[in-house]
Amino acid sequence: MRQLSIVWSMITKRLTMWGSPWSFSIEPSNVCNLRCRECFTGMGLSKRKPHFITVEDFSVAINQINATALNLFLYFQGEPYLNPLFIKLIEIAHKNKIFTVTSSNGHLIDYVNAEKTVLAGLDKIIIPLDGYNQESYSAYRNGGSFASATNAIKLISNAKQRLKKRNPVIEVQCLASKITENHLKEIKRIALECGADKFCVKTMQIETERGFETFIPDNQHFSRYTKEHQLKHPVKFCRRIFQSVVITSELNVLPCCYDKEATFILGNLHQESLSDIINSQKAKHFYKEIPFWLPRLKICKNCGG
């Protein structure tokens, strides 16, 4: 029904929402062990209090989404493995037969965690590798270790082979920047040699003027911005609000993953059901502010689609 809503809203140019979203993000942790440059959390821009989701709260969220969820992104603003209960969260999602993806910088993945991750039933793990050696890697991943990131890939890959499991699929992602743009083939080779199943290149989201000067690649093909620091392809019609919902570690429901500071809280699962929240007057009022053909909200103006 949500797919039909997208088509109908585009035709009529009036917001219409039927059915429920099918893609969800649940945040295990809103804190991180690295200080990545241009990352909202890493730069210390977040005013949210540090918080880890509990098993009880995670179960509340899963019970609310499992009727319609086709996939679950088990990450949002922090490093998932900092939550000591993270493996248990994967197990719960797997038992509910939800395709589950996480993204980790890999620094907390050791032999034991790698094996537990595979046995828990995680479907996919994204590990960023934004460099080809320690110097290039730490240029963006401030406080990070190139060896730890590559070792995490190896550990997960080896655990899969040892346990004779196909999952999780290991996807290595590299941010295209001035530092990496001429070394992408080398980074891909390193990733695949370490045991990655997939490799992809992503454009960077920039938050500061310094970031434009330091990281925007010379090759415009690898940038989401023009030379004037404007988005090349600003979102003209937002599909995210139809497809997905974010649930923070405190069980606050957000309309979009670009709301990194949790500014637009639609409701809380401790107080209301997800259905009541996404169909509330508060939610409808917010959705009317989302850009259909002209970005109006701050969180929309740096959205890469």
Side-chain angles (χ1 to χ4, degrees):
M1 291 297 287
R2 281 292 170 112
Q3 288 282 37
L4 184 58
S5 298
I6 294 174
V7 176
W8 185 251
S9 296
M10 292 180 74
I11 292 172
T12 62
K13 296 189 178 182
R14 294 182 62 186
L15 179 70
T16 304
M17 283 190 174
W18 299 309
S20 301
W22 64 84
S23 179
F24 297 87
S25 298
I26 300 180
E27 180 183 61
S29 160
N30 68 353
V31 295
C32 192
N33 53 323
L34 301 186
R35 302 180 302 282
C36 299
R37 297 171 173 91
E38 300 308 307
C39 169
F40 189 81
T41 301
M43 291 189 295
L45 297 178
S46 177
K47 302 298 190 297
R48 296 171 60 197
K49 293 181 179 179
H51 196 266
F52 296 150
I53 198 169
T54 65
V55 168
E56 291 75 19
D57 282 356
F58 185 74
S59 297
V60 168
I62 289 293
N63 289 338
Q64 291 288 324
I65 74 171
N66 64 2
T68 60
L70 296 181
N71 57 61
L72 169 63
F73 297 100
L74 200 47
Y75 61 96
F76 180 41
Q77 285 304 299
E79 166 55 44
Y81 281 91
L82 279 174
N83 188 329
L85 302 171
F86 182 59
I87 300 298
K88 182 64 177 177
L89 307 185
I90 298 172
E91 291 175 349
I92 293 171
H94 181 67
K95 287 179 181 178
N96 281 270
K97 299 180 180 180
I98 304 173
F99 186 91
T100 304
V101 182
T102 197
S103 179
S104 168
N105 58 48
H107 286 58
L108 300 176
I109 297 177
D110 55 16
Y111 181 95
V112 174
N113 266 343
E115 190 161 287
K116 286 183 177 180
T117 298
V118 174
L119 291 173
L122 183 68
D123 294 290
K124 179 178 175 181
I125 184 167
I126 299 167
I127 299 177
L129 190 62
D130 307 311
Y132 48 93
N133 56 23
Q134 178 58 35
E135 182 181 4
S136 58
Y137 180 82
S138 61
Y140 176 75
R141 299 280 165 188
N142 187 22
S145 163
F146 179 75
S148 294
T150 52
N151 195 46
I153 302 167
K154 294 175 185 177
L155 287 169
I156 296 286
S157 178
N158 292 340
K160 286 166 57 178
Q161 294 177 33
R162 188 168 60 252
L163 298 167
K164 298 181 180 179
K165 300 287 187 180
R166 298 179 62 183
N167 290 337
V169 171
I170 305 169
E171 179 176 305
V172 170
Q173 294 183 351
C174 178
L175 291 175
S177 70
K178 194 173 292 186
I179 297 155
T180 63
E181 63 179 324
N182 295 320
H183 300 272
L184 295 175
K185 288 183 179 180
E186 182 182 356
I187 297 169
K188 179 179 181 179
R189 176 186 58 78
I190 294 170
L192 295 180
E193 287 180 355
C194 288
D197 299 298
K198 297 181 179 180
F199 176 82
C200 68
V201 177
K202 291 189 64 180
T203 60
M204 280 189 68
Q205 178 179 333
I206 301 296
E207 299 284 352
T208 68
E209 282 300 316
R210 181 179 180 276
F212 282 108
E213 297 172 5
T214 306
F215 294 111
I216 289 299
D218 295 322
N219 186 340
Q220 279 289 297
H221 174 74
F222 294 125
S223 175
R224 69 175 68 178
Y225 303 97
T226 66
K227 292 181 179 179
E228 292 73 36
H229 303 171
Q230 302 297 315
L231 282 173
K232 286 182 184 176
H233 307 291
V235 175
K236 294 182 179 180
F237 180 84
C238 181
R239 288 177 169 80
R240 288 178 185 265
I241 59 172
F242 295 88
Q243 301 169 347
S244 61
V245 161
V246 174
I247 300 171
T248 70
S249 56
E250 305 94 340
L251 295 195
N252 289 323
V253 176
L254 310 179
C256 175
C257 62
Y258 275 81
D259 186 11
K260 300 174 183 181
E261 183 62 355
T263 303
F264 300 99
I265 297 174
L266 303 181
N268 185 281
L269 293 181
H270 283 305
Q271 300 160 359
E272 303 172 83
S273 70
L274 181 63
S275 177
D276 286 344
I277 290 171
I278 62 178
N279 290 297
S280 67
Q281 287 301 315
K282 184 175 184 179
K284 291 175 181 177
H285 176 74
F286 172 83
Y287 292 140
K288 288 180 180 178
E289 296 298 319
I290 287 288
F292 273 86
W293 285 269
L294 180 66
R296 286 180 286 184
L297 296 178
K298 183 179 179 181
I299 63 172
C300 305
K301 292 181 180 179
N302 204 15
C303 175

